Amino acid sequence: MTALPRFTPVAEHALLVQLAEEVGDRAARAVLALDKALADRPPEGLVEVVPALVNLLVEFDPVVTDHADMQAAVAALLDHAPDHAPEVATHDVAVCYDPDLGPDLAAVARATGQSEEAVIAAHLGGGYRVGMYGFAPGYAYLTGLDPALHVPRKPTALRDVPAGSVIIAGPQCLVTTLKMPTGWSILGSSPARILTGDPSRPFLFNVGDHVRFTRIDRAAFEAMGGAPA
Amino acid sequence: MSFARFTVRFAGPLVTFQDRGRPGHKRFGVSASGPMDRLAHAAANVALGQLAGATAIEVSMGGIVLACTEGAVSLAVAGGEFGIDLAGSGPEGWAVLTIEAGQTLTLRPGRAGSWCYIAFAGELQCGHWLGHAATHSTSGLGGGALVTGQELEVANTRTCPDREGPIAQPAFARFDGTARVVMGPQDDLFDAAARTALTTETFQLTDAFDRMGVRLDGPRLSIGGALSIPSEPVARGSIQVAGDGVATVLLADHQTTGGYPKIATVIGPDQDGLAQLRARDALRFKAITPAEAVAAARTHAAARVAWLAEIATPRGTLMERLMRENLVDGVVRADSDS
């Protein structure tokens, strides 16, 4: 491994910019700072930036620029990027933990040696941040799950898990946006629309945003429209 | 306003609406989607005088049967070597045709190719998501998949007799079964034997092949240490290797992030040809440097622009073409009397 930042060419059109080896707050701050610098002062030929946990993929038009020029431009931005994280938003996301909406709550409680209420309390108590998106449109991987809730993926995936499911595996949590199979444990359901349907702001979270879960009962869940279609 | 209507008499799986793709949202988990064979998709559009990125139907090996129920419209078929049947007669190869009410167009897989495009001289009506018709197949977002029984409408139709006839295939983009790759970004996690095997041995596509990617048969590519990487962004063309050493090439609807190491990435110019291979076809990889990859992309982009401009030029009506042929050897040049 070479020193950081580490630049790795990807095909003819991208550069993987690695800013940290370990996932964590420091890595997240560095990724967000560079992401913002690239948005504020896009180098010539920049097409798209994909921020993730410890690195960013910087995609460019190879007709306009190349790996060497893009690396120089990114390095210059890193030299001048502020080391404090840009301002991020905090979102309250409501969750109903009723057993039919959170079918794995009991299993997670058993696996972690605590009551279901304690699992819910631990889940509500996490300090969540959108680490990155992936898997499918709007799937925001939230870091910051309480270590007391770290459980492995289930051995087999459950099919047709509805959109809005609040699921956990390992150190991560996410709220699904589509009906999809998942091997993660389902704790509850959220009426939040992460795919907002608003063309001016189609996704609820930006990478780096903070998320707070709040508990709602069934009546509130239904009043808020229930799970997304 | 002129329009044409169709009934989808049959559509196989993975027959979808695709425009040029939906870039710019990978940070939100949205791959660009768009055509599996971008050049053929563009060819079908420009051969009709449409914008290269306009919405067309991507036809899988499942095939499609479209019955025109109202109106008339010119259409172009390009991509792979599919069998085309329009009202009982079938042109060989890629072509511009005109269909009218009462006629049926059938596309079936032919000698080669996995994806074929039908573009229309007009505006193919379908749903949009984030400003694009491109269908993300696993979510169905975008125009969506075509299903048997569905009605289609093409608005602002044109018929273009001056464009009818065969579309020349792009010699510059002929794929010889060897995809050029840039090694990495995690080639250093693989043992030396795996890195050598990637570019010296022959792989085969498997039938685990959809718009997300294609799994390969071939040498197991073992990872040197018990290393795992934090999930990171992945690019279309990535050759990712799962824990069992099996390689998958990621394609149009790939996941935007993932934790599997990528031994190499197929360059853009070779992705169309790779996607047109079929299960059990042989595939080899050749490593080139990042600088060579950029040079290849520039050569390809220039050739693409020139070729698309060529096929975008109307060839004239049959009568005009006959006149021009007759005048080629004469005193008067064909282009002086236009």
Side-chain angles (χ1 to χ4, degrees):
Chain A
M1 294 275 162
T2 48
L4 297 171
R6 189 163 64 243
F7 299 92
T8 311
V10 177
E12 81 286 6
H13 75 285
L15 203 58
L16 187 66
V17 183
Q18 181 107 11
L19 298 177
E21 305 288 3
E22 302 287 333
V23 179
D25 280 348
R26 252 179 74 174
R29 275 197 302 273
V31 167
L32 287 180
L34 179 58
D35 188 41
K36 176 137 191 355
L38 284 162
D40 291 346
R41 282 166 290 163
E44 192 185 11
L46 182 75
V47 170
E48 187 167 356
V49 180
V50 191
L53 303 173
V54 294
N55 49 24
L56 307 89
L57 189 69
V58 178
E59 297 195 324
F60 57 82
D61 179 352
V63 174
V64 176
T65 184
D66 62 16
H67 302 91
D69 284 352
M70 187 53 73
Q71 177 171 336
V74 172
L77 285 174
L78 281 171
D79 283 345
H80 297 101
D83 54 3
H84 60 271
E87 289 293 306
V88 293
T90 298
H91 306 270
D92 285 319
V93 172
V95 185
C96 178
Y97 296 94
D98 276 11
D100 60 318
L101 301 175
D104 294 321
L105 201 53
V108 170
R110 275 197 305 278
T112 58
Q114 54 192 328
S115 68
E116 291 178 31
E117 277 305 316
V119 169
I120 292 168
H123 185 250
L124 290 166
Y128 301 97
R129 199 165 182 153
V130 179
M132 63 174 190
Y133 279 84
F135 184 70
Y139 273 53
Y141 288 79
L142 306 178
T143 60
L145 182 66
D146 187 326
L149 294 183
H150 292 190
V151 291
R153 286 171 200 226
K154 297 185 285 187
T156 51
L158 186 64
R159 295 177 65 86
D160 292 341
V161 173
S165 294
V166 178
I167 61 178
I168 60 169
Q172 291 180 315
C173 176
L174 70 75
V175 183
T176 67
T177 57
L178 303 164
K179 190 199 273 185
M180 284 268 184
T182 184
W184 292 26
S185 297
I186 308 161
L187 299 186
S189 181
S190 173
R193 265 56 176 173
I194 297 172
L195 302 178
T196 61
D198 173 2
S200 69
R201 183 166 159 258
F203 303 91
L204 185 60
F205 313 130
N206 286 315
V207 173
D209 283 358
H210 294 286
V211 172
R212 274 190 311 239
F213 288 114
T214 57
R215 186 175 190 174
I216 52 171
D217 62 15
R218 192 54 169 259
F221 176 77
E222 302 298 349
M224 291 167 82
Chain B
M1 189 178 86
S2 56
F3 59 88
R5 289 208 169 95
F6 294 85
T7 298
V8 180
R9 291 261 185 257
F10 172 80
L14 286 182
V15 174
T16 57
F17 294 102
Q18 297 293 339
D19 64 11
R20 70 184 172 88
R22 182 185 295 104
H25 304 287
K26 292 196 193 81
R27 64 172 52 237
F28 299 112
V30 185
S31 49
S33 298
M36 293 287 277
D37 180 342
R38 294 174 277 202
L39 188 61
H41 175 273
N45 275 313
V46 302
L48 294 164
Q50 303 273 111
L51 291 174
T55 304
I57 298 172
E58 179 175 88
V59 181
S60 70
M61 285 181 64
I64 192 168
V65 180
L66 285 181
C68 184
T69 54
E70 215 174 329
V73 61
S74 291
L75 57 89
V77 180
E81 295 180 46
F82 277 58
I84 309 169
D85 182 295
L86 175 62
S89 71
E92 282 289 314
W94 303 1
V96 173
L97 312 158
T98 297
I99 192 169
E100 57 186 47
Q103 294 182 323
T104 297
L105 174 74
T106 301
L107 260 63
R108 290 203 170 83
R111 281 173 301 181
S114 287
W115 311 97
C116 187
Y117 298 88
I118 309 173
F120 295 89
E123 293 150 26
L124 180 57
Q125 303 296 296
C126 69
H128 283 58
W129 183 54
L130 303 180
H132 286 275
T135 302
H136 179 269
S137 56
T138 46
S139 66
L141 293 166
L146 280 77
V147 293
T148 301
Q150 181 174 351
E151 305 287 323
L152 293 182
E153 185 176 319
V154 181
N156 292 317
T157 49
R158 292 172 286 117
T159 55
C160 330
D162 57 339
R163 293 178 178 276
E164 283 175 21
I167 304 170
Q169 296 201 19
F172 77 94
R174 192 155 289 140
F175 185 65
D176 64 2
T178 298
R180 291 166 290 180
V181 299
V182 172
M183 296 302 290
Q186 280 90 36
D187 53 318
D188 56 347
L189 294 189
F190 291 83
D191 61 30
R195 291 201 298 269
T196 305
L198 182 76
T199 52
T200 55
E201 298 203 29
T202 301
F203 293 78
Q204 270 191 336
L205 279 75
T206 68
D207 54 15
F209 181 7
D210 59 21
R211 284 183 45 85
M212 290 181 73
V214 58
R215 196 154 70 215
L216 305 181
D217 253 345
R220 292 285 176 270
L221 302 173
S222 61
I223 293 163
L227 288 162
S228 67
I229 57 167
S231 279
E232 68 173 26
V234 294
R236 179 169 171 167
S238 294
I239 306 173
Q240 74 173 26
V241 182
D244 53 8
V246 174
T248 296
V249 184
L250 302 183
L251 297 168
D253 292 347
H254 65 90
Q255 295 183 13
T256 56
T257 59
Y260 291 123
K262 279 81 64 187
I263 191 168
T265 310
V266 177
I267 66 169
D270 290 352
Q271 289 175 13
D272 293 343
L274 191 159
Q276 286 290 8
L277 297 178
R278 292 179 176 177
R280 286 168 291 287
D281 280 351
L283 174 63
R284 296 176 68 87
F285 297 108
K286 178 186 180 208
I288 59 173
T289 66
E292 287 168 339
V294 168
R298 291 176 182 176
T299 302
H300 182 87
R304 175 191 155 101
V305 166
W307 177 71
L308 290 179
E310 201 176 298
I311 62 169
T313 307
R315 291 130 24 95
T317 61
L318 181 60
M319 187 54 73
E320 286 163 352
R321 276 180 254 167
L322 287 171
M323 290 291 290
R324 195 159 57 214
E325 295 299 313
N326 289 340
L327 291 169
V328 164
D329 295 326
V331 179
V332 182
R333 290 182 58 88
D335 54 2
S336 65
D337 64 358
S338 60

